[in-house]
Amino acid sequence: GNSVTQMEGPVTLSEEAFLTINCTYTATGYPSLFWYVQYPGEGLQLLLKATKADDKGSNKGFEATYRKETTSFHLEKGSVQVSDSAVYFCALLTGGGNKLTFGTGTQLKVEL
Amino acid sequence: DTGVSQDPRHKITKRGQNVTFRCDPISEHNRLYWYRQTLGQGPEFLTYFQNEAQLEKSRLLSDRFSAERPKGSFSTLEIQRTEQGDSAMYLCASSLSGTRAEQFFGPGTRLTVL
């Protein structure tokens, strides 16, 4: 079956530090890959996505590249801000797009 | 349209009681999904509708759970005879139909069963 594995948190960084959150997946077929973000007290928001191998999704300074050879979709940002503090979820979608499979989430805390 | 809305945002109930949650999707979206998220975990798929038809149910959806979307617009999720293990955040999402259409999530309903 499909599964997503994320690095465990919490990840604590100083403002302006470089961020990497690792995500690997197992899936049948060729999934679409997503990063969702959940700010405190809010619902899930789509951060970025990639639908095929070697695609790079980007948004708000965050980037992730769909690596089929390593079945990975690592999230990166060059300089984090306090406002980036949230929980980040990696997810995949296969086939008819009926259901997302999520990782367990990685909490990011950015301090001044 | 301001997005997917869910009501109530919080629900506290005693074990054995029935609860019902409502989800209003984005108006032009014909697909509607329910997910459950427990503390420290990612959301898990429960069920989804295409218009008013319930097309898939997860094995997580026991007989005590029932979901409806009577006119292909809003949806309700009912849990009968609640148990403490039902305590979770219940998330609703909607999307257009079509392969791998983006799902837009509501704020969720947090259920606490005492």
Side-chain angles (χ1 to χ4, degrees):
Chain A
N2 298 334
S3 66
V4 176
T5 302
Q6 287 182 237
M7 64 187 289
E8 292 190 10
V11 173
T12 303
L13 295 174
S14 298
E15 202 169 41
E16 300 183 1
F18 185 86
L19 168 71
T20 300
I21 300 178
N22 290 338
C23 171
T24 57
Y25 67 90
T26 302
T28 53
Y30 301 95
S32 293
L33 300 173
F34 305 84
W35 278 100
Y36 281 83
V37 59
Q38 189 171 37
Y39 297 102
E42 298 185 15
L44 286 166
Q45 300 174 26
L46 179 64
L47 181 61
L48 53 84
K49 67 179 181 181
T51 58
K52 62 183 187 299
D54 300 324
D55 268 3
K56 177 184 283 188
S58 60
N59 186 26
K60 299 180 180 180
F62 291 89
E63 294 183 338
T65 301
Y66 189 140
R67 301 287 188 198
K68 185 171 180 293
E69 63 277 12
T70 55
T71 61
S72 65
F73 193 55
H74 304 322
L75 182 68
E76 296 182 335
K77 187 175 185 183
S79 176
V80 294
Q81 306 299 312
V82 172
S83 58
D84 293 326
S85 298
V87 181
Y88 292 81
F89 292 92
C90 186
L92 65 81
L93 195 64
T94 59
N98 299 335
K99 57 186 176 185
L100 286 160
T101 299
F102 287 89
T104 54
T106 302
Q107 184 175 12
L108 171 64
K109 297 179 181 178
V110 181
E111 301 173 335
L112 289 171
Chain B
D1 190 288
T2 56
V4 179
S5 61
Q6 293 187 244
D7 184 69
R9 295 290 304 275
H10 303 274
K11 177 71 177 177
I12 299 174
T13 190
K14 294 182 179 179
R15 189 176 52 188
Q17 298 295 304
N18 299 343
V19 295
T20 300
F21 310 140
R22 177 179 171 125
C23 171
D24 286 89
I26 294 171
S27 57
E28 63 267 29
H29 286 180
N30 51 8
R31 283 189 179 175
L32 187 148
Y33 309 78
W34 286 99
Y35 292 82
R36 182 172 69 186
Q37 184 180 13
T38 53
L39 200 61
Q41 300 297 314
E44 294 175 292
F45 170 81
L46 292 179
T47 188
Y48 98 99
F49 294 83
Q50 172 96 10
N51 300 312
E52 65 276 9
Q54 189 174 15
L55 296 185
E56 188 172 351
K57 293 195 293 186
S58 164
R59 57 183 169 78
L60 293 175
L61 214 64
S62 75
D63 291 345
R64 296 184 296 105
F65 288 69
S66 62
E68 294 183 344
R69 195 181 182 198
K71 297 183 180 179
S73 56
F74 73 91
S75 175
T76 59
L77 177 68
E78 181 183 16
I79 309 174
Q80 297 182 327
R81 303 181 305 281
T82 52
E83 301 173 355
Q84 288 185 326
D86 297 331
S87 295
M89 177 77 84
Y90 289 85
L91 299 170
C92 176
S94 70
S95 76
L96 297 169
S97 59
T99 303
R100 307 183 187 191
E102 180 181 342
Q103 295 182 25
F104 293 81
F105 283 81
T109 294
R110 181 169 295 284
L111 172 66
T112 302
V113 182
L114 302 176

